[in-house]
Amino acid sequence: MYFEYSDKVKGLINQVNDFMEQYVYPNEKVYDKQLEEGPSRWIVPPIIDELKNKAKEKGLWNLFLPESEYGRGLTNYEFAPLMEIMGRSPFIGPEVFNCSAPDTGNMEVLVRYGTEEQKKQWLIPLLEGEIRSAFAMTEPFVASSDARNIESSIVRDGDEYVINGRKWWTSGAPDPRCKVLIFMGKSNPNAPTYEQQSMILVPMDTPGIKIIRNLNVYGYDDAPHGHGEVLFENVRVPASNMLLGEGKGFAIAQGRLGPGRIHHCMRMIGLAERALELMIDRAQKRVAFGSAVVDKGVIRQWIADSRMEIDQARLLTLHAADMMDKLGNKEAKKEIAMIKVVAPEVAERVIDRAIQVHGGGGVSQEFPLARYWTYARIVRLADGPNEVHREAVAKQEIKQFNMKRSYSLKH
């Protein structure tokens, strides 16, 4: 399969690259400094809004949203190289272009399943970058990788729904700009298995919502975005906040998680590329046992393995994106599952090699690699653990094998 980008996409690749070089990379340390020296780590550094305004001015805004009047008209395949570039600066890059999680997934949900009133109230402010959002699905007391386990409740009471439950890893909930979240819970425990869950829009200022604590990731608080453990006690929202209808939670989840998963993979490839560059740069500058580190055989093997693995992951991601565009997310589910396993594992290996080349500095705050590693590690869990995706791939392979064998025996 030969992948080629259109002139339009090539132009956008150059524009996004130039923007990253001119504005994003030089301001990474500015962002960190403003975060540390500000009155609170939970106040957004001013540099973010400055960069977002520059991206808007240059027309590099809302580049995702395939098949939508609200985006730039790019397919998943066309968006892939752009998200990869943004992913090279994982903690500010995507947000600067309004292409960061969980907002991208939530915006896609609103585009696909939201009513006109829901779009007006929440989608438009998200598209403008005026607010941020969260996605409340994972729960602390059940294995949420099997969403059938989710226990939180959504109960109809006249013209309202009453919500009760405890969620955690609700990424973005502690962010002061987070104004709405999408909540997944059980609306009918007696319905068929995949019609028991619903998704509903919940404004963050609704009485009964309490952020119990912010969860750390390997010691990082990920401020000012954060990951909240959130308690919902008799939270009442209008019935009109229901998405698509009662019992449609699993259907929405499948529509949301496909693009969300592939976006994670695109970012992981960009992150791995940057780690490889840091590895080579460091190896050329360090001397050990009489020669430059880059001349050591094992280091050259790491560089070669990293290049081969990154390119393999990129091609697999592009293949999945192409299938999503041509056949739809459902038909591409095996390919999406495959990249969701491959991309973060490749990124984790490449970053780990880069850390080793950097020596003691690699695990310190002197370089960004330690935090990069934690990000790649958590993506092995985000949107479903890799073990679940491997199981899905295996099921598809076995099913296809048996179908082929059955056909061959009949003919």
Side-chain angles (χ1 to χ4, degrees), residues 18 74 95 114 126 139-140 196 230 245 260 263 297 311 338 355 371 394:
D18 290 345
L74 299 175
E95 182 178 354
L126 282 167
E139 298 181 1
Q196 295 180 6
V230 189
H263 290 175
D311 284 359
M338 288 163 64
I355 289 171
R371 196 170 179 206

Side-chain angles (χ1 to χ4, degrees), residues 394-405:
K395 284 181 178 178
Q396 288 291 309
E397 282 296 300
I398 294 165
K399 180 180 178 180
Q400 290 172 4
F401 170 81
N402 288 332
M403 287 174 64
K404 289 177 183 177
R405 185 169 66 174

